[in-house]
Amino acid sequence: TTIDRVRLADGRTALLNRRPPKVPAGLRRWVSAVIGLSTVHLPGSDLVARRVPGPRACPAARRTPNVYTAAWLAHAYRFNPLYRQHDFGQHVTVALFELADYANRDIRAYSRCYRVHPSVRRVRVDGGTSVAASGDGTLEATADIEVLAAMAPRARVLVYQAPLSGGDQSIVDTYGAIAQQDRAQVVSSSWGGCEPLAGADVIRIEAQIFQEMALQGQSVMAAAGDSGSEGCLPDVKEVSARVAYSLQVGNPASQPFVTAVGGTSITRYGSPPVQSAWNQTPAGLGFPAPFNGKHGRPGKYPGNLAGGGGVSRMWWMPSWQAGAVRGHASGARCGAPQGTGCREVPDVSALAAIGTRGTRGYVIYGTAGAFKGKGWLTVGGTSLATPLWAALTALADQQAAGHRLGLLSPSL
């Protein structure tokens, strides 16, 4: 096939194969897919941030407006009984899937605030990446590490990082490295995109990798996204209006061997807290969808942030999910046989709200890259709920010493 270098509307340069690749007949039975020929569509992270100025001292974290610190979250989600048993995730390794880098100094500053000493190491895939090349992804990688460091402070954190510019190749190579090295009991991914844009070839390869992880006893968490039931809407410039404004879920959250993590808002704090589905319109932060009265949407729209969820168009419903749905499902969207439904997302949820007046979110620290020296910030998104669930799973793995928990969804 011919590969051309093209310039996109946003000014980015990408590679594009003009025709489908041809594989020699003798190799076809051995080839699942040919990927990496196009870098037009790149995955994104499911994180939103509101910058709040403040000093770097630990009291500044507590004074950041409208946030829950790690201690508040530990009480709300009942981590504390495990802490009292001296379970802080020791002897457990968590792998973070990242397409961005972080600054060591930011992790050290955050760790000093919480008086923890996390073990954090980079594992470079396809050459790794840098803060300068990470763009807004610096926020994602930093937040993932810091949530884990605070909630499972003695777990070992391996940050698998590849260049975002590698597109599908970076995605597959990074998940492949996590599976092949098999160093982590828990895997957390806050990156993804809408299911149709991921491409059937890439989805199939990812499915093989996630199945391998499940067989090895690795527990994989993936963020369900921040665009509610319209997972393709942020990609409206890359897909047709029909797809952008249709009901869609995100990949890899919809993968059957992944535990998809959705988002909530805490409406009344407690242990456990009272929660509702996350659906928030923080001024200036929601996705400013170009509705303009089209497709039955309002002409003026401030932009919403909402926990991703819905019904997969790709996967049949796993047997362990069918019992929870109790017959209220259809197989029409994914072509499942009569009497079988389609995979539904998410499997679990946790706090994803961003801190605004009347709503509390997470607090993280960063100065490098996209942080632009700001320091303490309030952030939100299902990409924060995901490492929170990964931290809880790490504590549970520590309780189950001697064996791995593996795929959580059937037990849940």
Side-chain angles (χ1 to χ4, degrees), residues 69-81 83-84 151 269-273:
T69 64
W72 285 68
L73 293 174
H75 176 70
Y77 290 116
R78 296 183 173 176
F79 282 55
N80 288 335
Y83 294 160
R84 286 194 288 270
M151 304 304 296
Y269 181 79
S271 181

Side-chain angles (χ1 to χ4, degrees), residues 91 100 269 371:
H91 311 303
Y269 181 79
F371 285 97

Side-chain angles (χ1 to χ4, degrees), residues 5 13 62 217 255 312 339 342:
R5 189 178 299 275
T13 300
R62 298 194 300 268
Q255 294 270 356
S312 171
C342 301

Side-chain angles (χ1 to χ4, degrees), residues 5-380:
R5 189 178 299 275
V6 297
R7 185 173 298 279
L8 305 180
D10 62 3
R12 180 170 65 87
T13 300
L15 300 178
L16 174 67
N17 56 301
R18 293 295 185 181
R19 296 184 304 276
K22 294 181 179 180
V23 178
L27 292 179
R28 287 176 188 168
R29 61 176 297 194
W30 305 106
V31 178
S32 296
V34 178
I35 66 167
L37 304 182
S38 171
T39 59
V40 171
H41 172 67
L42 301 177
S45 69
D46 294 305
L47 178 142
V48 288
R50 179 181 292 275
R51 293 181 173 86
V52 179
R56 300 179 183 180
C58 196
R62 298 194 300 268
R63 290 197 299 266
T64 302
N66 307 311
V67 299
Y68 291 114
T69 64
W72 285 68
L73 293 174
H75 176 70
Y77 290 116
R78 296 183 173 176
F79 282 55
N80 288 335
L82 297 177
Y83 294 160
R84 286 194 288 270
Q85 297 177 42
H86 304 286
D87 177 2
F88 300 98
Q90 58 269 37
H91 311 303
V92 177
T93 299
V94 180
L96 290 177
F97 171 94
E98 304 290 352
L99 298 173
D101 196 13
Y102 59 93
N104 293 334
R105 67 177 185 271
D106 290 340
I107 305 304
R108 287 196 296 266
Y110 182 90
S111 300
R112 284 195 299 270
C113 171
Y114 281 101
R115 299 181 182 180
V116 296
H117 305 281
S119 171
V120 181
R121 297 290 184 271
R122 291 175 178 84
V123 181
R124 302 185 189 278
V125 179
D126 295 345
T129 186
S130 66
V131 169
S134 296
D136 289 343
T138 306
L139 289 164
E140 182 61 69
T142 304
D144 289 345
I145 296 168
E146 291 180 354
V147 170
L148 272 169
M151 304 304 296
R154 292 186 64 185
R156 185 185 184 205
V157 181
L158 297 178
V159 185
Y160 284 78
Q161 55 173 227
L164 176 61
S165 59
D168 293 341
Q169 195 71 51
S170 290
I171 296 171
V172 170
D173 288 352
T174 304
Y175 283 129
I178 295 172
Q180 291 160 13
Q181 294 180 14
D182 194 17
R183 300 163 69 183
Q185 294 99 312
V186 184
V187 181
S188 178
S189 174
S190 296
W191 296 75
C194 75
E195 205 176 47
L197 266 182
D201 287 347
V202 174
I203 288 178
R204 280 195 292 267
I205 296 175
E206 287 179 346
Q208 294 173 6
I209 295 173
F210 293 137
Q211 186 173 16
E212 180 181 349
M213 290 181 180
L215 291 169
Q216 294 173 167
Q218 293 178 291
S219 304
V220 185
M221 321 278 149
D226 299 343
S227 303
S229 58
E230 295 179 310
C232 293
L233 198 53
D235 301 301
V236 66
K237 295 180 180 180
E238 297 183 40
V239 298
S240 67
R242 180 183 60 82
V243 174
Y245 291 97
S246 62
L247 299 177
Q248 302 286 353
V249 297
N251 177 77
S254 66
Q255 294 270 356
F257 289 98
V258 164
T259 298
V261 183
T264 69
S265 296
I266 294 178
T267 57
R268 188 169 72 244
Y269 181 79
S271 181
V274 177
Q275 300 176 92
S276 65
W278 176 47
N279 192 347
Q280 188 179 12
T281 310
L285 291 174
F287 173 63
F291 289 150
N292 302 323
K294 297 178 181 178
H295 308 284
R297 306 307 200 280
K300 294 182 179 180
Y301 181 71
N304 257 44
L305 296 166
V311 181
S312 171
R313 292 182 181 269
M314 181 82 183
W315 298 108
W316 297 359
M317 179 176 287
S319 59
W320 54 82
Q321 193 172 57
V325 175
R326 295 187 179 90
H328 299 285
S330 167
R333 291 173 64 87
C334 64
Q338 187 174 1
T340 304
C342 301
R343 166 88 165 110
E344 297 187 8
V345 177
D347 298 299
V348 297
S349 294
L351 177 68
I354 185 172
T356 58
R357 182 175 297 179
T359 304
R360 294 197 181 199
Y362 295 79
V363 58
I364 63 169
Y365 178 89
T367 59
F371 285 97
K372 298 180 180 179
K374 296 295 183 179
W376 293 101
L377 316 177
T378 174
V379 297

